[in-house]
mmCIF file of all heavy atoms in Angstrom:
data_model
loop_
_atom_site.group_PDB
_atom_site.id
_atom_site.type_symbol
_atom_site.label_atom_id
_atom_site.label_comp_id
_atom_site.label_asym_id
_atom_site.label_seq_id
_atom_site.Cartn_x
_atom_site.Cartn_y
_atom_site.Cartn_z
ATOM 1 N N ALA A 1 -60.441 61.578 -124.593
ATOM 2 C CA ALA A 1 -59.119 61.096 -124.949
ATOM 3 C C ALA A 1 -58.103 61.529 -123.882
ATOM 4 O O ALA A 1 -57.209 60.718 -123.525
ATOM 5 C CB ALA A 1 -58.727 61.616 -126.322
ATOM 6 N N ILE A 2 -58.201 62.727 -123.403
ATOM 7 C CA ILE A 2 -57.308 63.201 -122.353
ATOM 8 C C ILE A 2 -57.449 62.351 -121.098
ATOM 9 O O ILE A 2 -56.461 61.925 -120.480
ATOM 10 C CB ILE A 2 -57.565 64.686 -122.032
ATOM 11 C CG1 ILE A 2 -57.201 65.541 -123.230
ATOM 12 C CG2 ILE A 2 -56.804 65.128 -120.776
ATOM 13 C CD1 ILE A 2 -57.648 66.995 -123.112
ATOM 14 N N ALA A 3 -58.732 62.093 -120.693
ATOM 15 C CA ALA A 3 -58.945 61.314 -119.510
ATOM 16 C C ALA A 3 -58.407 59.884 -119.684
ATOM 17 O O ALA A 3 -57.813 59.307 -118.751
ATOM 18 C CB ALA A 3 -60.443 61.232 -119.221
ATOM 19 N N ALA A 4 -58.556 59.315 -120.870
ATOM 20 C CA ALA A 4 -58.028 57.977 -121.134
ATOM 21 C C ALA A 4 -56.497 57.939 -121.038
ATOM 22 O O ALA A 4 -55.917 57.009 -120.471
ATOM 23 C CB ALA A 4 -58.478 57.479 -122.517
ATOM 24 N N ALA A 5 -55.858 58.953 -121.586
ATOM 25 C CA ALA A 5 -54.391 59.031 -121.503
ATOM 26 C C ALA A 5 -53.936 59.141 -120.050
ATOM 27 O O ALA A 5 -52.967 58.467 -119.652
ATOM 28 C CB ALA A 5 -53.907 60.221 -122.310
ATOM 29 N N MET A 6 -54.613 59.969 -119.298
ATOM 30 C CA MET A 6 -54.195 60.138 -117.862
ATOM 31 C C MET A 6 -54.466 58.871 -117.086
ATOM 32 O O MET A 6 -53.718 58.564 -116.129
ATOM 33 C CB MET A 6 -54.929 61.333 -117.285
ATOM 34 C CG MET A 6 -54.459 62.663 -117.777
ATOM 35 S SD MET A 6 -52.660 62.952 -117.609
ATOM 36 C CE MET A 6 -52.475 62.879 -115.807
ATOM 37 N N GLU A 7 -55.470 58.118 -117.441
ATOM 38 C CA GLU A 7 -55.717 56.843 -116.750
ATOM 39 C C GLU A 7 -54.557 55.881 -116.966
ATOM 40 O O GLU A 7 -54.174 55.135 -116.070
ATOM 41 C CB GLU A 7 -57.034 56.232 -117.294
ATOM 42 C CG GLU A 7 -57.435 54.912 -116.628
ATOM 43 C CD GLU A 7 -57.808 55.096 -115.171
ATOM 44 O OE1 GLU A 7 -58.227 56.200 -114.781
ATOM 45 O OE2 GLU A 7 -57.706 54.067 -114.407
ATOM 46 N N LEU A 8 -53.972 55.914 -118.171
ATOM 47 C CA LEU A 8 -52.891 54.991 -118.487
ATOM 48 C C LEU A 8 -51.595 55.304 -117.762
ATOM 49 O O LEU A 8 -50.709 54.461 -117.651
ATOM 50 C CB LEU A 8 -52.655 54.944 -119.983
ATOM 51 C CG LEU A 8 -53.795 54.333 -120.803
ATOM 52 C CD1 LEU A 8 -53.531 54.441 -122.308
ATOM 53 C CD2 LEU A 8 -54.001 52.863 -120.452
ATOM 54 N N VAL A 9 -51.425 56.550 -117.323
ATOM 55 C CA VAL A 9 -50.190 56.903 -116.581
ATOM 56 C C VAL A 9 -50.458 57.160 -115.097
ATOM 57 O O VAL A 9 -49.567 57.571 -114.389
ATOM 58 C CB VAL A 9 -49.525 58.165 -117.206
ATOM 59 C CG1 VAL A 9 -49.134 57.901 -118.669
ATOM 60 C CG2 VAL A 9 -50.401 59.409 -117.096
ATOM 61 N N ALA A 10 -51.695 56.901 -114.669
ATOM 62 C CA ALA A 10 -52.101 57.271 -113.308
ATOM 63 C C ALA A 10 -51.270 56.617 -112.214
ATOM 64 O O ALA A 10 -51.112 57.187 -111.122
ATOM 65 C CB ALA A 10 -53.584 56.951 -113.078
ATOM 66 N N GLN A 11 -50.709 55.433 -112.453
ATOM 67 C CA GLN A 11 -50.021 54.700 -111.396
ATOM 68 C C GLN A 11 -48.505 54.833 -111.495
ATOM 69 O O GLN A 11 -47.755 54.116 -110.792
ATOM 70 C CB GLN A 11 -50.417 53.215 -111.429
ATOM 71 C CG GLN A 11 -51.932 52.988 -111.373
ATOM 72 C CD GLN A 11 -52.576 53.670 -110.197
ATOM 73 O OE1 GLN A 11 -52.068 53.636 -109.050
ATOM 74 N NE2 GLN A 11 -53.718 54.309 -110.434
ATOM 75 N N THR A 12 -48.017 55.725 -112.312
ATOM 76 C CA THR A 12 -46.566 55.860 -112.477
ATOM 77 C C THR A 12 -45.985 56.732 -111.360
ATOM 78 O O THR A 12 -46.689 57.449 -110.661
ATOM 79 C CB THR A 12 -46.232 56.456 -113.853
ATOM 80 O OG1 THR A 12 -46.905 57.733 -113.984
ATOM 81 C CG2 THR A 12 -46.668 55.523 -114.958
ATOM 82 N N HIS A 13 -44.690 56.674 -111.219
ATOM 83 C CA HIS A 13 -43.987 57.377 -110.150
ATOM 84 C C HIS A 13 -43.548 58.791 -110.560
ATOM 85 O O HIS A 13 -43.215 59.621 -109.703
ATOM 86 C CB HIS A 13 -42.758 56.599 -109.680
ATOM 87 C CG HIS A 13 -43.121 55.401 -108.876
ATOM 88 N ND1 HIS A 13 -43.558 54.266 -109.431
ATOM 89 C CD2 HIS A 13 -43.104 55.182 -107.540
ATOM 90 C CE1 HIS A 13 -43.773 53.338 -108.508
ATOM 91 N NE2 HIS A 13 -43.531 53.909 -107.343
ATOM 92 N N ALA A 14 -43.492 59.052 -111.851
ATOM 93 C CA ALA A 14 -43.152 60.385 -112.347
ATOM 94 C C ALA A 14 -43.685 60.456 -113.783
ATOM 95 O O ALA A 14 -43.963 59.410 -114.411
ATOM 96 C CB ALA A 14 -41.641 60.637 -112.353
ATOM 97 N N LEU A 15 -43.872 61.675 -114.272
ATOM 98 C CA LEU A 15 -44.523 61.871 -115.556
ATOM 99 C C LEU A 15 -43.709 62.815 -116.446
ATOM 100 O O LEU A 15 -43.319 63.892 -116.001
ATOM 101 C CB LEU A 15 -45.945 62.454 -115.372
ATOM 102 C CG LEU A 15 -46.754 62.724 -116.634
ATOM 103 C CD1 LEU A 15 -47.026 61.442 -117.420
ATOM 104 C CD2 LEU A 15 -48.075 63.425 -116.262
ATOM 105 N N ILE A 16 -43.454 62.367 -117.672
ATOM 106 C CA ILE A 16 -42.807 63.188 -118.688
ATOM 107 C C ILE A 16 -43.855 63.599 -119.700
ATOM 108 O O ILE A 16 -44.533 62.758 -120.288
ATOM 109 C CB ILE A 16 -41.666 62.442 -119.373
ATOM 110 C CG1 ILE A 16 -40.575 62.063 -118.360
ATOM 111 C CG2 ILE A 16 -41.067 63.294 -120.481
ATOM 112 C CD1 ILE A 16 -39.515 61.130 -118.923
ATOM 113 N N VAL A 17 -44.001 64.932 -119.917
ATOM 114 C CA VAL A 17 -44.928 65.426 -120.907
ATOM 115 C C VAL A 17 -44.113 66.082 -122.016
ATOM 116 O O VAL A 17 -43.435 67.108 -121.782
ATOM 117 C CB VAL A 17 -45.946 66.445 -120.305
ATOM 118 C CG1 VAL A 17 -46.933 66.916 -121.363
ATOM 119 C CG2 VAL A 17 -46.668 65.845 -119.115
ATOM 120 N N ASP A 18 -44.167 65.528 -123.197
ATOM 121 C CA ASP A 18 -43.325 65.988 -124.319
ATOM 122 C C ASP A 18 -44.104 66.974 -125.159
ATOM 123 O O ASP A 18 -45.062 66.583 -125.880
ATOM 124 C CB ASP A 18 -42.921 64.794 -125.153
ATOM 125 C CG ASP A 18 -41.792 65.139 -126.127
ATOM 126 O OD1 ASP A 18 -41.591 66.327 -126.420
ATOM 127 O OD2 ASP A 18 -41.149 64.179 -126.635
ATOM 128 N N LEU A 19 -43.749 68.252 -125.089
ATOM 129 C CA LEU A 19 -44.398 69.309 -125.873
ATOM 130 C C LEU A 19 -43.454 69.893 -126.928
ATOM 131 O O LEU A 19 -43.715 70.967 -127.457
ATOM 132 C CB LEU A 19 -44.875 70.414 -124.931
ATOM 133 C CG LEU A 19 -45.895 70.016 -123.859
ATOM 134 C CD1 LEU A 19 -46.251 71.231 -123.024
ATOM 135 C CD2 LEU A 19 -47.134 69.421 -124.463
ATOM 136 N N ARG A 20 -42.423 69.183 -127.260
ATOM 137 C CA ARG A 20 -41.411 69.723 -128.174
ATOM 138 C C ARG A 20 -41.968 69.948 -129.596
ATOM 139 O O ARG A 20 -41.489 70.829 -130.294
ATOM 140 C CB ARG A 20 -40.203 68.789 -128.247
ATOM 141 C CG ARG A 20 -39.336 68.769 -127.006
ATOM 142 C CD ARG A 20 -38.226 67.778 -127.078
ATOM 143 N NE ARG A 20 -38.742 66.405 -127.126
ATOM 144 C CZ ARG A 20 -37.963 65.332 -127.274
ATOM 145 N NH1 ARG A 20 -36.664 65.475 -127.414
ATOM 146 N NH2 ARG A 20 -38.534 64.113 -127.272
ATOM 147 N N ARG A 21 -43.029 69.223 -129.971
ATOM 148 C CA ARG A 21 -43.610 69.412 -131.279
ATOM 149 C C ARG A 21 -45.051 69.911 -131.159
ATOM 150 O O ARG A 21 -45.852 69.749 -132.089
ATOM 151 C CB ARG A 21 -43.556 68.111 -132.085
ATOM 152 C CG ARG A 21 -42.166 67.812 -132.624
ATOM 153 C CD ARG A 21 -42.036 66.443 -133.172
ATOM 154 N NE ARG A 21 -41.877 65.471 -132.097
ATOM 155 C CZ ARG A 21 -41.534 64.200 -132.272
ATOM 156 N NH1 ARG A 21 -41.355 63.729 -133.486
ATOM 157 N NH2 ARG A 21 -41.392 63.391 -131.261
ATOM 158 N N ASN A 22 -45.378 70.527 -130.056
ATOM 159 C CA ASN A 22 -46.731 71.011 -129.842
ATOM 160 C C ASN A 22 -46.885 72.439 -130.331
ATOM 161 O O ASN A 22 -46.191 73.332 -129.898
ATOM 162 C CB ASN A 22 -47.095 70.938 -128.332
ATOM 163 C CG ASN A 22 -48.557 71.137 -128.073
ATOM 164 O OD1 ASN A 22 -49.115 72.206 -128.297
ATOM 165 N ND2 ASN A 22 -49.216 70.078 -127.619
ATOM 166 N N ARG A 23 -47.864 72.625 -131.270
ATOM 167 C CA ARG A 23 -48.037 73.942 -131.886
ATOM 168 C C ARG A 23 -49.236 74.693 -131.352
ATOM 169 O O ARG A 23 -49.614 75.718 -131.886
ATOM 170 C CB ARG A 23 -48.156 73.788 -133.406
ATOM 171 C CG ARG A 23 -46.957 73.109 -134.040
ATOM 172 C CD ARG A 23 -45.661 73.871 -133.801
ATOM 173 N NE ARG A 23 -45.740 75.220 -134.260
ATOM 174 C CZ ARG A 23 -45.477 75.588 -135.492
ATOM 175 N NH1 ARG A 23 -45.068 74.695 -136.410
ATOM 176 N NH2 ARG A 23 -45.566 76.842 -135.884
ATOM 177 N N GLY A 24 -49.873 74.188 -130.284
ATOM 178 C CA GLY A 24 -50.923 74.971 -129.665
ATOM 179 C C GLY A 24 -52.278 74.311 -129.704
ATOM 180 O O GLY A 24 -52.422 73.109 -129.957
ATOM 181 N N GLY A 25 -53.300 75.125 -129.427
ATOM 182 C CA GLY A 25 -54.655 74.623 -129.407
ATOM 183 C C GLY A 25 -55.561 75.450 -128.507
ATOM 184 O O GLY A 25 -55.409 76.662 -128.384
ATOM 185 N N SER A 26 -56.451 74.767 -127.804
ATOM 186 C CA SER A 26 -57.527 75.428 -127.051
ATOM 187 C C SER A 26 -57.158 75.718 -125.604
ATOM 188 O O SER A 26 -56.631 74.872 -124.919
ATOM 189 C CB SER A 26 -58.761 74.514 -127.058
ATOM 190 O OG SER A 26 -59.762 75.002 -126.186
ATOM 191 N N PRO A 27 -57.417 76.947 -125.138
ATOM 192 C CA PRO A 27 -57.180 77.257 -123.726
ATOM 193 C C PRO A 27 -57.913 76.352 -122.747
ATOM 194 O O PRO A 27 -57.387 75.943 -121.738
ATOM 195 C CB PRO A 27 -57.668 78.706 -123.587
ATOM 196 C CG PRO A 27 -57.523 79.296 -124.953
ATOM 197 C CD PRO A 27 -57.852 78.150 -125.897
ATOM 198 N N ASN A 28 -59.176 75.976 -123.065
ATOM 199 C CA ASN A 28 -59.880 75.100 -122.153
ATOM 200 C C ASN A 28 -59.325 73.691 -122.168
ATOM 201 O O ASN A 28 -59.400 72.945 -121.171
ATOM 202 C CB ASN A 28 -61.407 75.152 -122.366
ATOM 203 C CG ASN A 28 -61.825 74.548 -123.695
ATOM 204 O OD1 ASN A 28 -61.310 73.549 -124.176
ATOM 205 N ND2 ASN A 28 -62.821 75.177 -124.328
ATOM 206 N N GLY A 29 -58.686 73.299 -123.259
ATOM 207 C CA GLY A 29 -57.969 72.022 -123.307
ATOM 208 C C GLY A 29 -56.749 72.027 -122.400
ATOM 209 O O GLY A 29 -56.450 71.054 -121.732
ATOM 210 N N VAL A 30 -56.022 73.141 -122.417
ATOM 211 C CA VAL A 30 -54.884 73.297 -121.507
ATOM 212 C C VAL A 30 -55.329 73.149 -120.050
ATOM 213 O O VAL A 30 -54.681 72.446 -119.216
ATOM 214 C CB VAL A 30 -54.186 74.638 -121.693
ATOM 215 C CG1 VAL A 30 -53.071 74.870 -120.656
ATOM 216 C CG2 VAL A 30 -53.585 74.777 -123.110
ATOM 217 N N ILE A 31 -56.404 73.793 -119.720
ATOM 218 C CA ILE A 31 -56.908 73.721 -118.348
ATOM 219 C C ILE A 31 -57.345 72.296 -117.962
ATOM 220 O O ILE A 31 -57.078 71.831 -116.876
ATOM 221 C CB ILE A 31 -58.093 74.718 -118.137
ATOM 222 C CG1 ILE A 31 -57.627 76.146 -118.392
ATOM 223 C CG2 ILE A 31 -58.684 74.582 -116.742
ATOM 224 C CD1 ILE A 31 -56.395 76.580 -117.569
ATOM 225 N N PHE A 32 -57.968 71.618 -118.924
ATOM 226 C CA PHE A 32 -58.385 70.244 -118.663
ATOM 227 C C PHE A 32 -57.177 69.360 -118.402
ATOM 228 O O PHE A 32 -57.143 68.584 -117.397
ATOM 229 C CB PHE A 32 -59.204 69.689 -119.834
ATOM 230 C CG PHE A 32 -59.968 68.469 -119.536
ATOM 231 C CD1 PHE A 32 -61.313 68.537 -119.182
ATOM 232 C CD2 PHE A 32 -59.386 67.195 -119.601
ATOM 233 C CE1 PHE A 32 -62.040 67.374 -118.887
ATOM 234 C CE2 PHE A 32 -60.102 66.044 -119.327
ATOM 235 C CZ PHE A 32 -61.449 66.120 -118.974
ATOM 236 N N TRP A 33 -56.181 69.439 -119.246
ATOM 237 C CA TRP A 33 -54.946 68.647 -119.038
ATOM 238 C C TRP A 33 -54.319 68.960 -117.711
ATOM 239 O O TRP A 33 -54.039 68.070 -116.901
ATOM 240 C CB TRP A 33 -53.942 68.948 -120.128
ATOM 241 C CG TRP A 33 -53.972 68.116 -121.370
ATOM 242 C CD1 TRP A 33 -54.256 68.525 -122.628
ATOM 243 C CD2 TRP A 33 -53.676 66.720 -121.471
ATOM 244 N NE1 TRP A 33 -54.158 67.473 -123.516
ATOM 245 C CE2 TRP A 33 -53.795 66.351 -122.851
ATOM 246 C CE3 TRP A 33 -53.317 65.722 -120.534
ATOM 247 C CZ2 TRP A 33 -53.578 65.043 -123.291
ATOM 248 C CZ3 TRP A 33 -53.093 64.435 -121.002
ATOM 249 C CH2 TRP A 33 -53.220 64.103 -122.345
ATOM 250 N N THR A 34 -54.069 70.241 -117.450
ATOM 251 C CA THR A 34 -53.278 70.602 -116.271
ATOM 252 C C THR A 34 -54.051 70.486 -114.979
ATOM 253 O O THR A 34 -53.431 70.395 -113.897
ATOM 254 C CB THR A 34 -52.690 72.042 -116.426
ATOM 255 O OG1 THR A 34 -53.755 72.949 -116.705
ATOM 256 C CG2 THR A 34 -51.675 72.046 -117.554
ATOM 257 N N SER A 35 -55.369 70.439 -115.028
ATOM 258 C CA SER A 35 -56.170 70.248 -113.807
ATOM 259 C C SER A 35 -55.854 68.917 -113.130
ATOM 260 O O SER A 35 -55.995 68.758 -111.914
ATOM 261 C CB SER A 35 -57.659 70.346 -114.095
ATOM 262 O OG SER A 35 -58.048 71.697 -114.360
ATOM 263 N N TYR A 36 -55.415 67.926 -113.915
ATOM 264 C CA TYR A 36 -55.046 66.653 -113.340
ATOM 265 C C TYR A 36 -53.859 66.754 -112.393
ATOM 266 O O TYR A 36 -53.619 65.883 -111.564
ATOM 267 C CB TYR A 36 -54.728 65.650 -114.437
ATOM 268 C CG TYR A 36 -55.958 64.972 -115.046
ATOM 269 C CD1 TYR A 36 -56.565 65.477 -116.187
ATOM 270 C CD2 TYR A 36 -56.520 63.843 -114.424
ATOM 271 C CE1 TYR A 36 -57.693 64.869 -116.734
ATOM 272 C CE2 TYR A 36 -57.648 63.244 -114.969
ATOM 273 C CZ TYR A 36 -58.248 63.770 -116.108
ATOM 274 O OH TYR A 36 -59.343 63.164 -116.616
ATOM 275 N N LEU A 37 -53.111 67.856 -112.501
ATOM 276 C CA LEU A 37 -51.899 68.010 -111.696
ATOM 277 C C LEU A 37 -52.129 68.833 -110.428
ATOM 278 O O LEU A 37 -51.184 69.079 -109.683
ATOM 279 C CB LEU A 37 -50.819 68.641 -112.551
ATOM 280 C CG LEU A 37 -50.565 67.954 -113.919
ATOM 281 C CD1 LEU A 37 -49.489 68.677 -114.662
ATOM 282 C CD2 LEU A 37 -50.230 66.476 -113.709
ATOM 283 N N PHE A 38 -53.388 69.239 -110.173
ATOM 284 C CA PHE A 38 -53.731 70.026 -108.996
ATOM 285 C C PHE A 38 -54.866 69.351 -108.226
ATOM 286 O O PHE A 38 -55.678 68.659 -108.812
ATOM 287 C CB PHE A 38 -54.125 71.430 -109.412
ATOM 288 C CG PHE A 38 -52.998 72.214 -110.047
ATOM 289 C CD1 PHE A 38 -52.777 72.181 -111.445
ATOM 290 C CD2 PHE A 38 -52.114 72.947 -109.257
ATOM 291 C CE1 PHE A 38 -51.734 72.875 -112.021
ATOM 292 C CE2 PHE A 38 -51.063 73.624 -109.837
ATOM 293 C CZ PHE A 38 -50.856 73.590 -111.207
ATOM 294 N N PRO A 39 -54.940 69.532 -106.918
ATOM 295 C CA PRO A 39 -55.822 68.723 -106.079
ATOM 296 C C PRO A 39 -57.298 69.078 -106.160
ATOM 297 O O PRO A 39 -58.115 68.279 -105.792
ATOM 298 C CB PRO A 39 -55.269 68.960 -104.649
ATOM 299 C CG PRO A 39 -54.626 70.308 -104.721
ATOM 300 C CD PRO A 39 -54.039 70.386 -106.081
ATOM 301 N N ASP A 40 -57.616 70.288 -106.560
ATOM 302 C CA ASP A 40 -59.025 70.730 -106.484
ATOM 303 C C ASP A 40 -59.236 71.906 -107.420
ATOM 304 O O ASP A 40 -58.442 72.127 -108.345
ATOM 305 C CB ASP A 40 -59.361 71.143 -105.007
ATOM 306 C CG ASP A 40 -58.346 72.054 -104.414
ATOM 307 O OD1 ASP A 40 -57.835 72.948 -105.142
ATOM 308 O OD2 ASP A 40 -58.042 71.945 -103.225
ATOM 309 N N ASP A 41 -60.315 72.650 -107.160
ATOM 310 C CA ASP A 41 -60.649 73.781 -108.047
ATOM 311 C C ASP A 41 -60.193 75.137 -107.506
ATOM 312 O O ASP A 41 -60.744 76.158 -107.851
ATOM 313 C CB ASP A 41 -62.159 73.824 -108.316
ATOM 314 C CG ASP A 41 -62.972 74.000 -107.030
ATOM 315 O OD1 ASP A 41 -62.367 73.960 -105.910
ATOM 316 O OD2 ASP A 41 -64.191 74.188 -107.139
ATOM 317 N N GLN A 42 -59.166 75.122 -106.692
ATOM 318 C CA GLN A 42 -58.722 76.339 -105.997
ATOM 319 C C GLN A 42 -57.502 77.003 -106.588
ATOM 320 O O GLN A 42 -56.922 77.891 -105.980
ATOM 321 C CB GLN A 42 -58.463 76.025 -104.527
ATOM 322 C CG GLN A 42 -59.687 75.532 -103.766
ATOM 323 C CD GLN A 42 -60.798 76.547 -103.791
ATOM 324 O OE1 GLN A 42 -60.625 77.673 -103.348
ATOM 325 N NE2 GLN A 42 -61.943 76.152 -104.279
ATOM 326 N N THR A 43 -57.114 76.580 -107.810
ATOM 327 C CA THR A 43 -55.900 77.165 -108.436
ATOM 328 C C THR A 43 -56.288 77.939 -109.682
ATOM 329 O O THR A 43 -56.809 77.361 -110.669
ATOM 330 C CB THR A 43 -54.872 76.090 -108.796
ATOM 331 O OG1 THR A 43 -54.553 75.316 -107.633
ATOM 332 C CG2 THR A 43 -53.611 76.719 -109.352
ATOM 333 N N LEU A 44 -56.053 79.247 -109.654
ATOM 334 C CA LEU A 44 -56.264 80.094 -110.838
ATOM 335 C C LEU A 44 -55.040 79.911 -111.719
ATOM 336 O O LEU A 44 -53.919 80.309 -111.364
ATOM 337 C CB LEU A 44 -56.444 81.555 -110.427
ATOM 338 C CG LEU A 44 -56.622 82.578 -111.571
ATOM 339 C CD1 LEU A 44 -57.798 82.203 -112.468
ATOM 340 C CD2 LEU A 44 -56.760 83.975 -111.026
ATOM 341 N N LEU A 45 -55.247 79.332 -112.910
ATOM 342 C CA LEU A 45 -54.149 78.972 -113.789
ATOM 343 C C LEU A 45 -53.806 80.059 -114.809
ATOM 344 O O LEU A 45 -52.646 80.270 -115.155
ATOM 345 C CB LEU A 45 -54.446 77.649 -114.498
ATOM 346 C CG LEU A 45 -54.510 76.435 -113.550
ATOM 347 C CD1 LEU A 45 -55.064 75.245 -114.286
ATOM 348 C CD2 LEU A 45 -53.125 76.124 -112.974
#
């Protein structure tokens, strides 16, 4: 689902991520989401 969402915004010029009603979840899910914003596997998050 995360990959599908990122595919739908992949060609945009800027991205707004709305977390105002986000109550949390899985650390590995956070890493999966935010990895899309970094070029490779060289960033310790």
